[in-house]
Amino acid sequence: MFYVGDKYKLIQEIKQYFPKNIDTFIEPFVGGGTVFLNIEAKKYILNDVDQYVFDLHNFLKGQSNEKDFLVEVLKYVKKYNLSRSFIEDIVPKELKEEYKKTYYAKYNQDGYNKLKNDFNKAKRKDSILLYILLIYGFNRMLRFNSKGEFNVPVGNVDFNKNVETAIKDYFDFVRKKEIKIENLDFKPFIKKNGFKKNDFMYLDPPYLITFSEYNKIWNEEKEIELLTLLDELNERSIKFAISNVTTYKGRKNHIFMNWMNKYNSTKIKSNYISYHDNSNKDFEEVLVFNY
Ligand SMILES: C[S@@+](CC[C@H](N)C(=O)[O-])C[C@H]1O[C@@H](n2cnc3c(N)ncnc32)[C@H](O)[C@@H]1O
């Protein structure tokens, strides 16, 4: 789906630590879904507390024909006059020369803002419009203000071949698999699903010490609740792996660092740092697992 903070660049590194034979793959913090889409299992049980993330997955999962879906997307992309290099390059040469690195943002700005207004005005939120906003928006974020209005600015991005391939791969995968997705807080989600010996849970919660939109709904209390639940799963011999950031810009997540000592862990080469930021040394991402 492409989503802020996704594990797209790290999935190959992370998955080498995952168990080989998985009956049910469980993801309480599924986000854009990069992880489950790259894991072989018999069944998938997914969850995200964000209503819009949940709606988007359900909407995409319910698309039975990818050609019809792309035709529908294209209808709106044309209506709002957005760039669409997956089928044609319509950005004028002069604009590309004038704004060498930002011409997509310049070109798409007006249409994107119009689309955003229409989406916000509509009573029933149309998931296809939200999908298009996600694709053309800044940093692939889903962010809403206190009035419930989508408020992400335009990104310097385009519906290109990569986006087309990603959505086709998504359809291809979900069509073949048995997937259930829920829209709960992680605690009731984990408690209500009875897991078995060959099931495996991967967790990518908001990181207590970094900054992201979804970190606003995360705090020390949630962190402790989650880690306590994982200890309970461990006692029941259910396998899990959890990603987290232990060090970021002078901050340390002591709660997590103390907790992880009793399990196995490995450092992960992170994709979190932006290239404007040279504080790489001040950053540490880990994967912790109980097997
Ligand atoms: C770091 S992101 C996951 C990114 C994902 N691994 C990917 O590749 O796209 C964390 C996700 O947790 C969700 N989340 C935040 N608080 C939650 C909670 N209490 N219960 C369940 N999900 C939550 C957020 O909506 C967000 O999508």
Side-chain angles (χ1 to χ4, degrees):
M1 198 194 279
F2 294 115
Y3 183 58
V4 58
D6 68 28
K7 286 278 174 257
Y8 183 68
K9 292 197 185 122
L10 298 179
I11 183 63
Q12 298 310 329
E13 184 180 351
I14 287 178
K15 77 188 251 191
Q16 57 177 321
Y17 298 100
F18 286 4
K20 294 292 164 275
N21 294 310
I22 304 171
D23 281 349
T24 303
F25 180 74
I26 306 136
E27 242 196 298
F29 305 90
V30 71
T34 295
V35 180
F36 89 84
L37 289 162
N38 284 284
I39 298 301
E40 267 313 309
K42 293 191 181 126
K43 245 173 83 183
Y44 301 77
I45 302 182
L46 316 170
N47 177 68
D48 201 289
V49 78
D50 188 304
Q51 169 83 47
Y52 290 100
V53 170
F54 170 76
D55 285 349
L56 269 181
H57 280 297
N58 259 340
F59 166 71
L60 294 174
K61 227 156 66 69
Q63 299 298 308
S64 49
N65 185 322
E66 73 187 35
K67 280 213 184 81
D68 290 352
F69 174 79
L70 284 169
V71 167
E72 191 69 7
V73 167
L74 196 56
K75 189 178 96 190
Y76 288 108
V77 164
K78 286 189 171 166
K79 176 177 174 190
Y80 292 100
N81 198 28
L82 300 167
S83 64
R84 42 191 181 256
S85 69
F86 77 112
I87 48 151
E88 56 181 335
D89 184 3
I90 55 165
V91 180
K93 234 169 79 194
E94 305 78 61
L95 201 71
K96 287 186 179 170
E97 274 159 19
E98 193 177 347
Y99 301 100
K100 286 203 167 50
K101 290 193 172 147
T102 55
Y103 56 84
Y104 279 127
K106 292 282 173 206
Y107 186 82
N108 289 328
Q109 185 154 15
D110 291 349
Y112 176 88
N113 286 338
K114 171 120 192 21
L115 167 64
K116 190 160 70 174
N117 280 339
D118 289 351
F119 175 81
N120 284 333
K121 268 192 288 178
K123 282 227 166 61
R124 199 183 64 81
K125 301 292 180 216
D126 199 335
S127 295
I128 197 158
L129 297 188
L130 187 60
Y131 170 75
I132 300 172
L133 285 169
L134 178 70
I135 296 300
Y136 287 92
F138 177 72
N139 240 347
R140 299 273 154 80
M141 266 192 297
L142 292 178
R143 191 182 65 193
F144 294 81
N145 64 19
S146 55
K147 286 189 243 153
E149 294 163 335
F150 185 79
N151 70 350
V152 177
V154 69
N156 186 35
V157 278
D158 172 42
F159 204 118
N160 56 24
K161 283 271 174 212
N162 288 344
V163 178
E164 186 190 20
T165 307
I167 195 67
K168 283 185 170 164
D169 288 349
Y170 182 103
F171 289 141
D172 202 38
F173 188 91
V174 298
R175 202 174 296 132
K176 288 192 227 141
K177 305 288 188 177
E178 188 185 335
I179 299 169
K180 185 166 100 181
I181 174 152
E182 306 208 51
N183 185 208
L184 296 169
D185 177 58
F186 69 86
K187 194 169 176 183
F189 169 77
I190 294 176
K191 290 233 177 225
K192 80 176 251 220
N193 284 294
F195 305 117
K196 291 188 286 309
K197 206 169 141 260
N198 283 333
D199 294 347
F200 170 62
M201 187 184 294
Y202 169 69
L203 307 101
D204 187 22
Y207 306 145
L208 203 54
I209 55 170
T210 66
F211 305 96
S212 190
E213 202 42 37
Y214 38 67
N215 293 16
K216 289 185 190 153
I217 53 169
W218 199 252
N219 52 36
E220 292 190 356
E221 199 184 321
K222 289 260 168 215
E223 182 101 354
I224 292 167
E225 232 173 55
L226 176 64
L227 302 181
T228 310
L229 260 180
L230 292 183
D231 287 339
E232 283 170 32
L233 291 182
N234 184 53
E235 275 162 33
R236 288 163 50 202
S237 306
I238 293 166
K239 292 193 196 88
F240 68 75
I242 176 169
S243 289
N244 219 310
V245 168
T246 51
T247 307
Y248 181 62
K249 289 192 173 170
R251 300 160 170 233
K252 283 192 183 296
N253 184 343
H254 293 290
I255 299 174
F256 192 86
M257 289 164 84
N258 288 336
W259 173 84
M260 68 185 252
N261 282 334
K262 56 189 157 206
Y263 298 112
N264 295 319
S265 64
T266 182
K267 283 184 191 165
I268 298 293
K269 180 170 86 285
S270 189
N271 68 346
Y272 193 87
I273 307 145
S274 85
Y275 46 87
H276 303 297
D277 186 343
N278 296 321
S279 53
N280 300 23
K281 277 187 252 83
D282 208 13
F283 186 95
E284 208 159 285
E285 174 164 344
V286 293
L287 183 77
V288 177
F289 41 99
N290 70 333
Y291 46 90

